[in-house]
Amino acid sequence: MTGGRLLRGIGVSPGVAIGPARIVDWELPEVEARTVPAGEVQAEVSRLHGAISEVRALMESLRARTEVRAGPEEAKIFDAQIMMLEDQEFLGQVEKLIQENQLTAERAFEFKALEMRIRWGQSPNPQLRQRTADISGISISVLKILTGHPVDDVLHRPDGRPLVVFTRQLTPGLTVQFEREHVAGFASDEGTQVAHAAILARSMGIPCVMGLVGGVDRIQDMTEVLLDGTRGTVLLDPTPSEIDAALERERRRRVLDEELEASLYQPAVTLDGTAVTLRGNLDLPEDLESALHHGAEGIGLLRTEFLLLGRTELPSEDEQAQFFQRVAERFTGRTVIVRSYDLGGDKFPAAFRSDYEANPFLGWRAIRVCLDHPQIFRTQIRAILRARLHGDAQLLLPLVTQVEEVERTRELVVESADALRREGIPAAETLPLGVMIETPAAALLVDQIAERSDFLSVGTNDLTQYTLAVDRGNARLAGRFTPLHPAVVRMLRDVVEVANTSGCHLSVCGEMASEPISAFLLLGLGYRVLSVAPKVLPLVRWFVRQVDLRLAQDVASVVVRKATARDIIATLEEAVGKQIDPLLLDVGRLPGDRGEATLRAQI
């Protein structure tokens, strides 16, 4: 019995770490509330810039160290922090506070940084919320310099066993300051899978658990701990038998890693010979190489919002066409599905302003924005038509709730193709048009939508969110967000039945396809095309090759009649456990996945 010895969080970097806990007080130093004489104001401004320059040099050093230890892509994490230090608008506000109120440099900087941290922390944009850790890291370093504290002596290097480092908030700068041989693992009260520090920990191969709310206060310095970065747990004062069990799980995880690597380029075929197509989801251009490396059979979801991030103007038709063409050419002979701008909700970049909405996720977003701004939509459609000359590029519409939205888009495609032809610009004459089934309205109208579409793609994240009326980003409701809810499962069954009857091509591009147990259900229901994050492709391919499709179909027919998610999960677990070592399945649930479903917590 572990009782109160077990702390639960989020596993963000796999592996097991055993050793004494070290509490690292990497927090903002106390800043005295005082002013300076008018004659010293300019000296305070100079002190501010001196500290900024010193921290910028530190960030450059950490960036270089990260490039060596984790790779060039991971090193780019520090670019965002360096940009913060070069933000003239922010620094100008700090200077103004010093000059107008005669505050010390540290007091003015602390005030404006706190203001920014609160604003970002309350933002509906999850990417912006995640960057609050970057602000904290920069603030701590700047304020330590301004208050005369050392910024790099965060851990006395031990001569003995590696330590498991605990902190309230793990920042990228703090993560890379530790030598691998001195640190067995990381744990923090705050943070999630997509935190920059979590990405670095994974790249460095250091087990890490985040989201241990109140965990630091429950641990005494040098307490023996067992941290499991795969399961997201920390066990205090583990017994020898508990350590042995954890090491056995870790051994099996490594065995699974080897099996995944071995099956990287093997076909995704079930035990009875049924082929399953595995495509990749692309969020950013750099995901392209990862998708190719992991054997993606095309792109099932190419998100286009990145084209707008960090910009004050919209991308041109040529810029979009060149990027879509590059992706299409890299996947010659394979399908590349480009999703139109899914703006709105938490995604309104500077280049595209929107009025305040009380409930933006049910407001002006996705296809509604595109159709209300046809000039912007036409530019993207024209770019995809041009790219289609170089590969099988197709257009996917998000958040459809009316057949009129599909019909109007078809009209825009025809108009755009005609305009390109009149202008003498080489482009395809037609463009396959698909619809994301991610609202209850679309699921219920799927027969009508299928008649007007060339293909369908089920977005299980939003379909679950809107069907259950549960915000998938709300931690308090995490236990209620599951795509294995009976209502969602029945919708999935109805969609695949309509697609099979109508002959409309069908795929799943939501996170549900990334979870082995959920993927087992999808295969049993009749889905044969799954699109997942590139790094999850090896796991899904390996799993597909273990599946007895006839068993999956039998189980699916039983599951759709279940009344609760708990019953559905239990039925699926029992069936999958007959084919696969349950422990292997457990370690196969990769930490760090972007999956927002909370199936793991429920299991």
Side-chain angles (χ1 to χ4, degrees), residues 347 361 461-462 465 470-475 478 481 511 596-597:
K347 293 174 290 190
F361 288 95
N461 300 343
D462 272 344
Q465 174 173 244
V470 172
D471 178 2
R472 59 182 177 168
N474 189 325
F481 184 91
E511 298 295 338
E596 290 140 306

Side-chain angles (χ1 to χ4, degrees), residues 230 252 256 515-518 520 539 542-543 572-590 600 603:
T230 305
R252 296 195 185 192
L256 177 59
E515 288 280 357
I517 287 179
S518 298
F520 180 81
L539 172 63
W542 170 83
F543 180 73
L572 292 172
E573 275 195 298
E574 181 181 0
V576 174
K578 292 178 180 177
Q579 295 184 276
I580 299 173
D581 180 345
L583 191 53
L584 268 184
L585 186 63
D586 180 54
V587 299
R589 296 190 180 101
L590 303 180
R600 293 183 198 133
I603 293 176

Side-chain angles (χ1 to χ4, degrees), residues 36 38 40-53 56 85-113 115 142 146:
V36 297
E40 297 180 14
V41 165
Q42 193 53 46
E44 289 301 304
V45 172
S46 297
R47 276 208 316 129
L48 168 69
H49 286 286
I52 293 294
S53 296
R56 186 188 298 115
L85 293 167
E86 297 173 345
D87 187 336
Q88 294 306 309
E89 180 180 354
F90 171 73
L91 293 178
Q93 292 174 355
V94 178
E95 285 185 27
K96 186 177 180 180
L97 207 56
I98 295 173
Q99 293 164 344
E100 294 184 353
N101 297 277
Q102 297 178 218
L103 296 181
T104 63
E106 54 266 34
R107 184 63 171 168
F109 184 90
E110 178 189 48
F111 182 85
K112 298 307 294 186
E115 188 178 82
V142 171
L146 289 172

